Amino acid sequence: MRQKLAFGLWLLAIGTWAQTDVWRSDSIQEVVVTGTGTRHLLKDAPVETEVITQKMLSQYGGKSLEEILAGLTASFAFNEGDMGSQMQLNGLGNSYILILVDGKRIHGDVGGENDLGLIDPQNIEKIEIVKGAQSALYGSDAMAGVINIITKKHTESGLYVDNSTRYGTYNDLRQHNTMAFTLGKFNSQTNFQLQRSDGWQNTAEEWAEGEVLTDSRNKTVNKFRNWQIAERLTYQPIKGLELYAEGSYYKKNILRPQNGRHPSCDVYTYDLRYNNASASVGGKWNNVTLDVDWNKHAYYYDYTAKHYDYVLLQGEEYGDQNGEWFSVAMLPGQSKLQSDQQRVMAQLKGIFNLPYENTINAGAEYRYDYLKAPDRTETGTADDWTGALYVQDEFNWLKWLNITAGLRLVDNHNYGFRLTPKVSTMFSVDDFRFRLGWSQGFKTPTVKELHYRYLHIMGSSMFFNIGNVNLDPQTSNYYSANIEYRGQRFTAAVTAYLNKLDHMIALVNVSESEIPPGITTAYMGDGSNKVQARMYKNMDDARTSGVDVTLSYRLLPELTLNGAYSYLDTKAHLYDEKTDCMNTVIIDGTAHHKWSASALYSHVFSPIYKLGVSLSTRGSSKRYYQNNGNGKGYQIWRINTTHDFGRSGKMLAYRLELGVDNIFNYVDRTMHPYHLGTNTPGRTVHATLTIKFNYGKRVKQHNLSTKQNSNNDEND
């Protein structure tokens, strides 16, 4: 009740203060591209777009993308784990959320989750979020929404170098470096990041073998370290033409404690290692863009203790499809590939301005997915390809009316052709915007959902998860209605939505007799250890609905208040084999209420010192799960301060950040392996030192006049 009352008073204060228009809000002039693929001022975007600006990012001081999204919006939920972020957006999980970096899909799925450690928070310029099915424009991964990470670009003439080092509790180290230079028509930008943490344990209690253990070594978040280096080269031979080539390499190690006293616990005899690589080439000529990308994500076990693994030997000499299984001892120091996922994408798109205020966005895409998993697929490899054509037209015949309609034709080699349409409209009346939208989603099963199989251990429970080649594609219909007011000081938006999904894919408990022929049941064991088989199946249907509210008020030129609230309701039909009937359940991970709020303050005390303060809170009601208990509700507060030294435009600038997360030291001590509302370790502190060196065109321009110096200081 205290949490709800505090948040209610915060929102009431924002509404009460919103009385007169004096200062122009920076967000009104923000340019966004994600909703339609074309450039619009935020206030005139035909599709509602939520923006996390550079100012918000800079003052919040989040150490990861998960922390930023959870802290500055109310629609996201995360459960960070070894294999990824277990992200949800308005009730739908990772596989329904498309994450873009500068408009390109990230690659790094393991077990249906994305490793957001691939994204360096220090290299983010802003984040654009579009909720709801966007399959017509972006394809099958966008049934819940799109997150577009816009990265920082340093293209000024001369040399730019920065160094940012953040250190916090639990030996949490985040290192970032950029070096960029421009020579005539040639530009180079190199980025490096390193992240490491000792991890933490919120409780030593664990449920196993029908009893509560009190000395478990399992951590809430395991020790890890990762690093990434990326390079981007651009060349502009003539006006209007830009060519580029870029590549990256990423490596992550997760170091897990061995816990051998109770064999039914999640015994760790190996660490996890991920190796990612990417390469891209392309160019842009006026409004036509061509991109060709290759991405690789490989996932290994690095053995730390003796481990007996099973190897399936197949061939005619074994007399059947199942072959024969042999036990092989893996020794400390040895490694074994679990899966190698590779993807090749090619995309050609163009934006064309036509007579009568029409803007056409059209393109063609090809995507090839390849999976190598020697012990986790029937033949050791699997693949899939999809081609698509799309077109979208924005009609702006009347100044106060925008109609956007799009259509995508998909050809998948397993499921053939499919059309997905979208239609949205926006009415403008002074500072008000009214938006209505309908869009269809279409998602073919992934290669893993079709072919992958693995043994998943959760506490004393073991599950043999099996792919299913008989899956049908998932479809959805998304309806939304939005009203938005954007004044010079006050912004408010309310969005109601309904997302109806058919043939939703989920892991369902099945009996051994339901496992299709040709799939070995060796993992089922001999009966001494009960292993439950789960298979990917199409559910009858599912539905998510809710209301999102966002508020922002610029109380003073130096003080901005923000608030967000999300109400969510979900229902899905799951088949119960025991009762032979469909049961209505809440989708796993659903929280009916989530909220966030922040106060951002900045003040220039002198020509060489600027102070920034961010006080923020986020919270959630209870999260619902079908197995292993529900997650508790929570509310967490944090404060971050920034101290900038050095005049804007000078060669050297310094920033010091000091902050405290989880001020009131809330910790969820629910025992393993039950669900947590949040896995925060409690109160933590952090400090960041950033040094920027910029020698080039901007420095020369800065010295032209005293008047320009003054303007730069105000706008920094």
Side-chain angles (χ1 to χ4, degrees), residues 472-491:
D472 293 323
Q474 302 170 88
T475 60
S476 70
N477 282 277
Y478 179 82
Y479 308 89
S480 64
N482 164 261
I483 180 172
E484 181 180 75
Y485 171 80
R486 285 192 176 273
Q488 293 179 328
R489 294 177 63 188
F490 179 64
T491 297

Side-chain angles (χ1 to χ4, degrees), residues 15 47-48 95 149 188 210 229 232 288 314 332 416 435 518 526-527 563 565 575 581 601 630 678 682 714:
V47 177
E48 185 196 6
S95 62
I149 313 296
S188 168
I229 187 166
R232 179 179 174 88
V288 178
Q314 295 175 299
R435 300 179 178 93
D526 57 6
Y565 167 76
Y575 175 71
C581 65
Y601 171 82
N630 299 320
T678 174
E714 293 176 3

Side-chain angles (χ1 to χ4, degrees), residues 598-665:
S598 63
L600 304 179
Y601 171 82
S602 62
H603 181 74
V604 178
F605 284 92
S606 74
I608 61 170
Y609 176 64
K610 178 182 178 181
L611 170 68
V613 180
S614 169
L615 176 64
S616 59
T617 183
R618 61 184 176 91
S620 172
S621 61
K622 178 170 63 177
R623 299 185 68 185
Y624 293 89
Y625 293 90
Q626 296 305 306
N627 298 303
N628 290 333
N630 299 320
K632 298 177 181 177
Y634 64 90
Q635 179 153 333
I636 294 173
W637 291 80
R638 64 173 280 152
I639 187 170
N640 190 66
T641 64
T642 61
H643 310 266
D644 290 291
F645 303 91
R647 187 185 297 272
S648 173
K650 292 294 186 182
M651 284 194 297
L652 278 175
Y654 307 88
R655 163 172 283 200
L656 177 65
E657 291 185 32
L658 302 170
V660 180
D661 192 18
N662 198 346
I663 297 172
F664 301 109
N665 198 32

Side-chain angles (χ1 to χ4, degrees), residues 673-707:
Y674 293 94
H675 292 290
L676 302 174
T678 174
N679 61 7
T680 172
R683 185 185 302 113
T684 59
V685 298
H686 63 267
T688 304
L689 176 62
T690 301
I691 303 173
K692 296 182 180 180
F693 174 84
N694 194 355
Y695 179 77
K697 185 177 180 180
R698 291 202 324 176
V699 175
K700 296 177 183 178
Q701 289 179 338
H702 172 80
N703 292 326
L704 291 178
S705 69
T706 304
K707 180 179 180 180

